[in-house]
């Protein structure tokens, strides 16, 4: 073992001397400031000749005894070296945390809520250490909420063709029915036509057909995208054609290029439906793969089932497509909301969130314009609000069929 003592002005000068004389593998055993103001450093390095001699002896088949104390000292030096390397790696982050305790606390809380470290550090870049914790979180919350892209498409008001695309099981059919119910209440049953291109999933068409019979609106099962050209007369001003599509894996979306054949013939808008339960890597792949469908907006489903909503919001912050609606339950009406980024932010941060108010169009009771069978409008409103439960595949309950 090669142990040497060095005297230097500071630690940087001492490290330079150690590297010059003993190499980068040397380990500093101790350091102290002398009476003369100079820094005394003791460094150690396993002697190369010993290792060479040992190897040579082993090559001759000889066994050279090793001093147990020397072996224990070597192991201890290796452990100290590993510890020093770990401390050196952590020293920069620890020093930053010591200088910015409030920002460091905010970063930790964001990461525990599922937000990525990169996003957390970006959001806390403007935190002022002299402000209170409540003030810092208020500004951070507002900044996070304002960073989530939202949009307000005009297709629901002006009419046209709207198709929902997305992976299998994210809730496209349920979302389609929710949009139809919203449009019926605002514009009447004559303003909506339901169309499905999903001929693979069992019960997909029956689910739409059941809703169409209850609401008194037409439901069509098309053979291919080409058949959409014959429905342009139904997408006139104020009238909406809602199109359900077959779910597909993200890796297949880019190859299939849905609606590519009719884009030049039909004025069609697409919305991408994504689930908050997706892992961040999967959600990124979905968002990237379905860009071939040119989505104008996002619908976020299954918010109530997400373990860490912050993970989902981190991915949404990375892209520009705006959020238009989100759902947080299976109830057809009460669990479907317009995009509220502050509510979602509070929910992701596990903070007490204000209750989501019902949309303004619900207060107007526009359901009176809907006529389904012989049920009075007031009775119909109560039934739709209290009894309608729509699952992703399961049809309406039999009791509802009997009521109509």
């Amino acid at each position: 073992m090669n142990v040497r003592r060095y005297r230097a002005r500071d630690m940087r000068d001492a490290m330079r001397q150690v590297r010059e004389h003993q190499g980068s593998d040397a380990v500093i055993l101790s350091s102290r400031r002398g009476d003369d103001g100079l820094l005394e450093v003791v460094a150690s390095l396993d002697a190369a000749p010993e290792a060479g001699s040992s190897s040579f002896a082993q090559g001759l088949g000889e066994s050279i005894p090793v001093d147990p104390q020397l072996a224990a000292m070597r192991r201890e030096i290796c452990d100290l070296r590993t510890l020093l390397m770990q401390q050196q790696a952590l020293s920069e982050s620890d020093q930053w945390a010591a200088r910015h305790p409030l920002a460091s606390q905010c970063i930790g809380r964001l990461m525990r809520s599922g937000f990525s470290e990169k996003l957390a550090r970006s959001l806390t870049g403007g935190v002022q250490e002299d402000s209170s914790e409540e003030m810092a979180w208020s500004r951070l919350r507002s900044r996070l909420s304002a960073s989530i892209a939202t949009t307000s498409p005009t297709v629901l008001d002006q009419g046209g063709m709207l198709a929902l695309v997305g992976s299998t099981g994210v809730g496209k059919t349920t979302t389609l029915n929710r949009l139809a119910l919203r449009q019926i209440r605002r514009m009447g049953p004559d303003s909506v036509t339901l169309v499905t291109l999903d001929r693979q999933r069992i019960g997909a068409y029956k689910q739409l057909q059941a809703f169409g019979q209850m609401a008194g609106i037409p439901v069509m099962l098309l053979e291919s995208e080409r058949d959409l050209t014959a429905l342009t007369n139904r997408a006139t001003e104020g009238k909406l054609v809602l199109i359900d599509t077959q779910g597909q894996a993200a890796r297949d979306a880019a190859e299939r290029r849905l609606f590519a054949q009719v884009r030049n013939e039909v004025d069609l808008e697409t919305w991408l439906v994504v689930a908050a339960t997706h892992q961040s890597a999967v959600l990124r792949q979905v968002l990237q793969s379905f860009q071939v469908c040119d989505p104008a907006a996002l619908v976020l489903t299954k918010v109530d089932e997400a373990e860490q909503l912050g993970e989902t919001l981190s991915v949404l912050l990375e892209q520009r497509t705006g959020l238009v609606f989100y759902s947080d339950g299976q109830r057809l009406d009460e669990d479907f909301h317009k995009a509220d980024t502050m509510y979602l932010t509070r929910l992701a941060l596990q903070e007490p969130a204000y209750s989501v108010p019902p949309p303004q169009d619900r207060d107007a009771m526009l359901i009176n314009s809907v006529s389904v069978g012989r049920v009075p409008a007031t009775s119909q409103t109560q039934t739709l609000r209290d009894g309608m439960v729509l699952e992703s595949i399961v049809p309406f309950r039999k009791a509802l069929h009997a009521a109509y």
Side-chain angles (χ1 to χ4, degrees), residues 333-334 336-338 355-363 385:
D333 185 23
E334 292 87 343
F336 190 59
H337 319 283
K338 290 183 179 180
S355 59
V356 180
Q360 297 178 357
D361 53 349
R362 294 179 186 171
D363 299 334
R385 285 183 176 275

Side-chain angles (χ1 to χ4, degrees), residues 2 46-56 74:
N2 184 11
D46 289 344
E50 293 182 8
S53 300
S54 177
S55 300
F56 178 74
R74 287 179 176 177

Side-chain angles (χ1 to χ4, degrees), residues 237-386:
E237 183 176 357
K239 295 186 178 181
L240 194 63
V241 176
L242 295 173
I243 307 167
D244 193 16
T245 62
Q246 177 184 347
Q248 52 187 325
R251 60 179 178 271
D252 300 330
E255 298 178 0
R256 185 178 176 185
R257 300 183 66 86
L258 193 63
F259 302 119
Q261 299 178 355
V262 297
R263 282 289 185 182
N264 297 329
E265 305 175 22
V266 177
D267 186 10
L268 176 70
E269 183 170 312
T270 58
W271 289 1
L272 176 59
V273 182
V274 295
T277 53
H278 281 326
Q279 295 180 348
S280 57
V282 176
L283 184 55
R284 287 190 182 93
Q285 185 181 13
V286 169
L287 291 170
Q288 181 179 1
S289 299
F290 279 92
Q291 286 302 311
V292 297
C293 299
D294 193 22
L298 296 177
V299 178
L300 183 64
T301 62
K302 304 184 180 182
V303 171
D304 57 314
E305 301 178 23
E307 294 185 4
Q308 285 190 320
L309 188 58
E311 184 175 355
T312 302
L313 297 185
S314 294
V315 180
L316 295 185
L317 284 165
E318 299 172 0
Q319 51 87 51
R320 298 182 179 180
T321 307
L323 184 66
V324 59
F325 287 103
Y326 72 93
S327 63
D328 53 5
Q330 289 296 326
R331 294 177 299 178
L332 194 63
D333 185 23
E334 292 87 343
D335 297 332
F336 190 59
H337 319 283
K338 290 183 179 180
D340 186 342
T341 58
M342 181 56 74
Y343 175 81
L344 293 175
T345 299
R346 286 182 175 274
L347 195 62
L349 295 174
Q350 302 176 2
E351 296 179 341
Y354 53 85
S355 59
V356 180
Q360 297 178 357
D361 53 349
R362 294 179 186 171
D363 299 334
M365 297 298 291
L366 295 179
I367 192 64
N368 291 332
S369 61
V370 183
S371 176
V372 182
R374 297 181 180 179
V375 182
T378 55
S379 175
Q380 175 184 319
T381 303
Q382 186 69 24
T383 305
L384 285 174
R385 285 183 176 275
D386 298 337

